[in-house]
Amino acid sequence: MKDWIKNSIIYEIYPTSFYDGNGDGIGDFVGIEAKIPYLVDLGINTVWMNPFYKSPFEDGGYDVTDYCAVDEKFGTMEEFESMMRAFKKAGIRVIVDLVIGHTSDKHPWFLESKKRNPNPKYKDWYIWTDNCFRGGWKVMLGMSDRDGGYLVNYYAIQPALNFGYNEITAPWQMHYTDPRLKPLRDEILRIMRFWLEKGVDGFRVDMAQSLVKQDKSGEGCRWLWNILIGETKKLYPDCCFLAEWGNPKAAAACGFDLDYLCHSTPAYNEIFRTDKGENIAEWFEAFGKTYFASHGEGSFQNFAAYTADLYKDENVGFSVPTGYHDMIRIADNKSVDVLKGIFAFVLTYKCIPQIEYGDEIGIKHNWKLHKDGGYVRTGARTPMQWDNTRYLGFTTAKRAYLPTETAKSRCVESQLADEKSLLNTVKKLIALHKNHPALAFDGSVKVLSVGYPLEYVREKDGEKIYVAINASATPREVTAPRKIKEVLLAEGAAANGKTVTMKGGSYFIAKL
């Protein structure tokens, strides 16, 4: 893993909702460029941008119609390039979404593939059955002139691109090594080179584990990604590949630099989002007690064991997100003190920190929205909140594409003026993370307690840092494992010798 990746602090930007630079109510490239100084002040060094490609936005841009064009709602290619130059000047790396499991059903490739007599070039670029009466799970029938049904990955408007099957169970299925599939792989490589030449530093890969179908062993996925990643890194060795997988070991075997823990990672859900009302019910059938919550009834044990297993292989990299565009906002049902504890954890534990835009000011989830195929997920994609003007500074338009909150305390302007705000705490924690080698991803971690408070020690090159986080509302007292040399950062906690007294919702970070 390249040093810049190991030292990344990733910040996710949903372009539609970050900042409207031209006053039409929708976020855009001009707006993102205008807010780069904010990201620099925050301490961010890596940005992940959600899709900005040409799209009908029937699934938030994850339904592409042209991989090498920007959607006009965000601006022009020239404005994208200007934004990229500004990021480079600021020393911020940019990772963009790579959505290649499927396209929009309005993509020219699919329009050619669905014809009664398909264009030979695109005939096999999608997964088609050999008969319009022969279907199966997620196969759309009667939707084309072509005599067959097509497989979709998620929504009906997202036909699956054809990277083959591992286990063949029908005559129309192709093995992933079938030479007829090579032209599509070559096209994907060309698309990646196109954006790398535009200055991007890597890709967050949507649905990374699902490209090869019926691949229980993972052999097909490993074969495919080792080609796509391997060929790309021959020309761009510094390129980062971040997987949407939730299984860092499997992602690493495919050549990915990083995987982020997500809704399909049970141990991750247990620490952040298992309380009733914090989940998308279809994804979590069993509810428990979230560890980072004031009730103090959760457990960190499974997460500690899970990550300890990941650390056994130095090739396995992973990030821990506060949230992302598909999850319920982390601030839901949590006090500011608990949120501070969450950020203290994400920015001091052995992981790559990852922050969804707005989590640093505690934006709440909006449960009443549905736009662009987002359904309940739309509530995590509302506009960033900058100041106390109309629409909290997101836009000067008469109407914003999505509504903002009304809480004036949850905006950048208000929180910058409050020394004790969540935003100022996050800024201090990011600076701490960047200035202490022991807190880097290649520093070690030793978990001392999985109860309340959570305690662990980070160490690298002789530097030892002790972290204690009391997410519960109950005051606690702990004993540091060694003499405390210097308190680095603490809120609601104080040391007397080796004894640390902690209020409810507090954290303590010190050198040993």
Side-chain angles (χ1 to χ4, degrees):
M1 187 191 302
K2 296 292 182 179
D3 285 343
W4 79 263
I5 301 173
K6 286 191 287 189
N7 295 319
S8 287
I9 298 171
I10 301 171
Y11 188 90
E12 180 189 5
I13 289 177
Y14 192 68
T16 304
S17 296
F18 196 58
Y19 184 58
D20 173 16
N22 64 4
D24 65 355
I26 304 172
D28 47 42
F29 301 134
V30 172
I32 293 171
E33 181 175 344
K35 293 301 183 180
I36 289 176
Y38 166 77
L39 299 175
V40 172
D41 182 60
L42 185 59
I44 297 303
N45 57 19
T46 305
V47 160
W48 156 30
M49 287 182 61
N50 295 114
F52 48 79
Y53 313 111
K54 193 75 175 175
S55 168
F57 278 79
E58 294 177 280
D59 185 22
Y62 288 88
D63 49 324
V64 179
T65 55
D66 189 339
Y67 286 103
C68 294
V70 300
D71 197 274
E72 61 185 12
K73 70 193 293 182
F74 302 123
T76 65
M77 185 64 80
E78 289 74 22
E79 288 168 338
F80 173 84
E81 291 167 347
S82 173
M83 177 193 70
M84 289 300 302
R85 288 192 296 270
F87 272 125
K88 295 298 180 186
K89 186 175 181 180
I92 295 176
R93 305 265 188 166
V94 178
I95 295 171
V96 300
D97 251 301
L98 185 67
V99 189
I100 57 170
H102 49 258
T103 68
S104 165
D105 62 357
K106 298 172 180 62
H107 196 295
W109 299 348
F110 185 69
L111 297 180
E112 292 296 315
S113 187
K114 69 183 287 190
K115 289 180 177 178
R116 183 171 182 83
N117 295 304
N119 183 326
K121 179 177 179 179
Y122 303 109
K123 178 177 180 292
D124 298 319
W125 283 31
Y126 295 85
I127 300 175
W128 289 91
T129 69
D130 55 4
N131 188 294
C132 69
F133 301 109
R134 204 187 317 278
W137 187 60
K138 289 192 174 182
V139 172
M140 301 293 107
L141 301 173
M143 301 292 287
S144 68
D145 290 332
R146 180 169 173 169
D147 186 8
Y150 60 90
L151 186 76
V152 298
N153 276 338
Y154 199 58
Y155 290 157
I157 48 85
Q158 293 168 317
L161 286 166
N162 190 3
F163 295 96
Y165 283 70
N166 190 349
E167 181 184 355
I168 303 296
T169 56
W172 46 266
Q173 296 168 357
M174 301 179 187
H175 192 262
Y176 61 83
T177 60
D178 193 308
R180 289 173 291 178
L181 304 181
K182 186 177 183 299
L184 174 59
R185 294 197 302 272
D186 290 342
E187 178 64 15
I188 300 304
L189 287 168
R190 186 193 70 81
I191 290 166
M192 288 193 284
R193 288 195 298 271
F194 176 87
W195 290 108
L196 289 164
E197 288 167 5
K198 293 287 184 185
V200 309
D201 298 283
F203 303 95
R204 174 267 187 188
V205 179
D206 186 60
M207 298 178 66
Q209 82 286 7
S210 67
L211 269 59
V212 175
K213 307 304 182 186
Q214 294 176 189
D215 186 33
K216 292 181 181 179
S217 70
E219 178 184 357
C221 200
R222 289 191 295 273
W223 181 88
L224 174 65
W225 278 115
N226 276 286
I227 290 175
L228 294 178
I229 294 175
E231 290 299 314
T232 301
K233 288 200 171 189
K234 286 179 182 178
L235 295 175
Y236 298 91
D238 285 344
C239 178
C240 175
F241 281 85
L242 168 66
E244 181 197 26
W245 200 315
N247 186 340
K249 283 187 173 183
C254 292
F256 283 92
D257 301 284
L258 296 174
D259 178 25
Y260 65 87
L261 306 187
C262 62
H263 54 269
S264 60
T265 316
Y268 167 78
N269 297 326
E270 287 180 7
I271 62 170
F272 285 163
R273 294 181 181 84
T274 46
D275 279 299
K276 187 175 181 180
E278 293 183 343
N279 301 279
I280 297 176
E282 311 91 89
W283 290 347
F284 310 105
E285 294 183 1
F287 294 100
K289 290 290 186 180
T290 299
Y291 178 78
F292 284 97
S294 58
H295 54 59
E297 298 176 25
S299 174
F300 192 82
Q301 185 171 353
N302 289 340
F303 189 86
Y306 177 76
T307 52
D309 184 56
L310 297 179
Y311 300 144
K312 292 176 183 178
D313 186 343
E314 63 181 12
N315 294 315
V316 174
F318 67 94
S319 60
V320 174
T322 58
Y324 50 94
H325 63 288
D326 281 336
M327 290 288 282
I328 304 307
R329 281 280 186 180
I330 192 72
D332 242 46
N333 297 327
K334 295 180 179 67
S335 68
V336 171
D337 288 339
V338 170
L339 292 175
K340 288 180 177 181
I342 287 172
F343 275 98
F345 163 69
V346 169
L347 286 156
T348 62
Y349 200 68
K350 182 178 170 65
C351 67
I352 304 295
Q354 185 173 315
I355 302 168
E356 182 184 8
Y357 79 96
D359 280 354
E360 74 274 20
I361 57 173
I363 290 180
K364 299 284 187 179
H365 199 87
N366 188 325
W367 293 87
K368 299 178 181 180
L369 297 179
H370 167 49
K371 193 102 171 184
D372 295 340
Y375 296 92
V376 71
R377 302 173 301 168
T378 309
R381 305 173 184 183
T382 56
M384 181 63 176
Q385 299 167 182
W386 297 104
D387 59 38
N388 285 311
T389 58
R390 191 182 188 192
Y391 296 121
L392 297 185
F394 166 71
T395 182
T396 57
K398 291 183 178 180
R399 185 173 183 177
Y401 191 69
L402 287 169
T404 51
E405 277 194 86
T406 57
K408 293 184 177 181
S409 63
R410 287 192 287 272
C411 76
V412 171
E413 181 183 63
S414 295
Q415 293 199 19
L416 283 176
D418 178 3
E419 183 61 29
K420 296 183 179 180
S421 69
L422 176 60
L423 176 57
N424 279 317
T425 291
V426 173
K427 287 177 64 176
K428 292 172 187 175
L429 287 164
I430 289 175
L432 191 74
H433 177 93
K434 294 168 75 173
N435 291 330
H436 291 274
L439 299 179
F441 185 69
D442 52 3
S444 68
V445 63
K446 181 179 181 181
V447 178
L448 306 177
S449 170
V450 295
Y452 293 91
L454 170 65
E455 297 176 85
Y456 50 89
V457 174
R458 300 295 314 278
E459 183 174 1
K460 182 182 178 184
D461 299 334
E463 181 183 49
K464 291 187 178 182
I465 295 180
Y466 169 68
V467 180
I469 304 171
N470 181 20
S472 76
T474 304
R476 313 273 178 168
E477 192 175 273
V478 292
T479 302
R482 291 176 59 179
K483 181 181 178 180
I484 294 170
K485 291 182 179 179
E486 178 188 357
V487 177
L488 298 174
L489 201 59
E491 289 191 68
N496 183 7
K498 292 172 62 176
T499 301
V500 181
T501 302
M502 308 188 74
K503 296 180 180 179
S506 61
Y507 68 89
F508 181 84
I509 306 168
K511 273 190 177 184
L512 299 179

